[in-house]
Amino acid sequence: MKIEIFSDVVCPWCYIGHARLEKAVRLFDGDVEIAHRPFQLAPDAVSNGEPLLPALARKFGGAAQVAQMTARVTRAAAEDGLEIDFERAIQANTLEAHRLIWLAQRAGHGAEAAERLFRAHFEEGLDVGDAATLAKLAAELGVTDTGEGAEEVRAELARARDLGISGVPLFLFEGQFAVSGAQPVETLLAALREVRTRTAVAVAQQDSQGSAQGDGDACDDGFCAV
């Protein structure tokens, strides 16, 4: 089964969603191929080393509102064994980070690259839009930056727009069954099993507009559901 994950490395619900999908896949009695697809929550963001929280406060009505938003996400992440430190996070343009994932994925290490970038942003306070930082992370991952991937990443971003994706994470099963948001592990496991059943039946009758499950917590318009 092929699953495409549309996500952004500065999206906390994407970090949580990735972790939950990994757990669901380990519980699933079948072969799964995961492909990482780019999405930018804030394509106009500038990587200038600015801390994330003040930038969010300007956009979402002040520090109190942002504190409520981040507290919920932090609690949810902790329940899945993830650490999110918004106090250290740096706002960033993620185009080059997605290119690093593209390069790593070509070498069969897309999942490792995505996880490393999530951790760099949310736990370590690294600027994942900074060229020097990304070069160090690439070396750590054993990825050689050939300079390729920019055109391909932009094409995949355009595909996400064409598919009507406006919030992430979004999991696309077999190119046709969509699960949106950081669903619980049990829901993702049920989706894996349902899609396997549907695709077996759909050998004879194609269903091009199926949706395995409903919406979950997701990031949209630069930040996240509260």
Side-chain angles (χ1 to χ4, degrees):
M1 185 185 304
K2 182 173 182 178
I3 306 174
E4 296 174 86
I5 307 176
F6 291 83
S7 66
D8 198 357
V9 298
V10 294
C11 162
W13 287 117
C14 294
Y15 193 12
I16 295 167
H18 275 246
R20 290 176 178 175
L21 180 65
E22 287 181 0
K23 293 175 184 176
V25 168
R26 288 196 293 269
L27 295 170
F28 180 63
D29 57 340
D31 295 326
V32 177
E33 175 189 347
I34 296 176
H36 297 266
R37 304 298 187 215
F39 186 91
Q40 284 194 285
L41 287 170
D44 297 326
V46 177
S47 293
N48 58 7
E50 181 182 6
L52 179 62
L53 287 179
L56 292 177
R58 289 197 303 272
K59 186 171 184 178
F60 293 102
Q65 174 69 6
V66 170
Q68 179 186 13
M69 297 163 72
T70 56
R72 176 174 180 248
V73 181
T74 301
R75 287 194 301 271
E79 290 173 0
D80 283 279
L82 304 176
E83 179 183 349
I84 291 183
D85 187 350
F86 284 105
E87 294 287 343
R88 299 183 67 188
I90 303 296
Q91 79 159 354
N93 186 296
T94 57
L95 187 63
E96 284 297 299
H98 285 303
R99 190 174 69 84
L100 173 55
I101 294 174
W102 182 90
L103 288 166
Q105 185 162 253
R106 189 173 61 169
H109 303 296
E112 293 90 338
E115 192 278 334
R116 185 66 188 93
L117 285 159
F118 280 128
R119 190 154 43 87
H121 177 69
F122 287 111
E123 296 186 20
E124 300 171 13
L126 299 180
D127 184 350
V128 295
D130 175 68
T133 298
L134 290 172
K136 291 178 182 178
L137 293 175
E140 181 182 321
L141 290 162
V143 174
T144 300
D145 189 351
T146 61
E148 299 172 277
E151 182 178 344
E152 289 81 359
V153 167
R154 290 190 178 93
E156 290 180 354
L157 289 168
R159 176 176 172 239
R161 291 192 297 271
D162 291 342
L163 288 171
I165 298 173
S166 60
V168 285
L170 184 134
F171 308 95
L172 187 61
F173 295 73
E174 294 293 337
Q176 56 182 328
F177 303 102
V179 174
S180 62
Q183 299 280 357
V185 173
E186 296 77 11
T187 302
L188 291 168
L189 179 59
L192 283 161
R193 291 168 175 164
E194 181 180 347
V195 170
R196 177 170 58 187
T197 299
R198 289 196 189 193
T199 51
V201 172
V203 170
Q205 56 182 51
Q206 294 294 324
D207 180 3
S208 63
Q209 297 182 354
S211 178
Q213 299 289 339
D215 294 341
D217 289 307
C219 294
D220 190 3
D221 189 28
F223 200 61
C224 301
V226 294

